[in-house]
Amino acid sequence: MKVDELRVLEADELSMRMKTARRELYELRFKHAVGQLENSTQISKVRHDIARIMTVLRERDFGIGPSEPQELEAAAVAVAEAPAEAPAEEEVVEAKPKRGRRAKKKEESE
């Protein structure tokens, strides 16, 4: 599961996925304790999925990302329709060379 897929989902669907992921983690830990789990990397994958879901939920709480999927689509359309601006001319400024220890000693000895 990718973060982009999670950002499109509604809040209730995210909470449902969180419940199923936590239940799956519980079952995997139980199987691991009993010795029935063949692939222990599944535990870390589920933990990462839970972290991704929690990250998306916290982003919405803080208002970092779009709170609803419709806002995500509207933002993508707005970015696609924005006209490209001409790059501004930048002034070229010559940087002074950094003085190292050797350069300092040369200047003092002269």
Side-chain angles (χ1 to χ4, degrees):
M1 145 177 17
K2 295 188 178 185
V3 178
D4 294 333
E5 296 171 3
L6 294 174
R7 287 190 176 123
V8 177
L9 299 177
E10 299 278 334
D12 58 340
E13 192 168 345
L14 277 174
S15 63
M16 193 66 178
R17 285 198 183 200
M18 176 70 92
K19 287 179 185 178
T20 57
R22 285 193 171 165
R23 179 68 185 179
E24 184 178 357
L25 181 62
Y26 172 78
E27 291 172 359
L28 288 173
R29 284 182 176 166
F30 187 77
K31 285 182 182 180
H32 183 66
V34 176
Q36 293 178 347
L37 187 62
E38 295 175 8
N39 189 3
S40 60
T41 59
Q42 291 176 336
I43 293 174
S44 62
K45 288 180 183 179
V46 173
R47 289 179 64 213
H48 284 275
D49 288 344
I50 291 172
R52 285 185 192 105
I53 294 169
M54 291 176 74
T55 300
V56 171
L57 289 173
R58 291 299 286 170
E59 284 177 351
R60 290 183 184 177
D61 288 346
F62 289 130
I64 295 173
S67 60
E68 296 297 323
Q70 292 82 17
E71 291 179 21
L72 180 65
E73 293 170 5
V77 170
V79 169
E81 293 176 357
E85 296 181 15
E89 294 182 24
E90 297 180 19
E91 295 181 18
V92 178
V93 178
E94 292 184 29
K96 294 182 180 178
K98 292 184 179 179
R99 289 179 35 183
R101 291 184 181 211
R102 292 183 186 199
K104 188 175 182 180
K105 287 181 181 178
K106 271 187 175 179
E107 291 175 6
E108 290 175 3
S109 65
E110 293 178 356

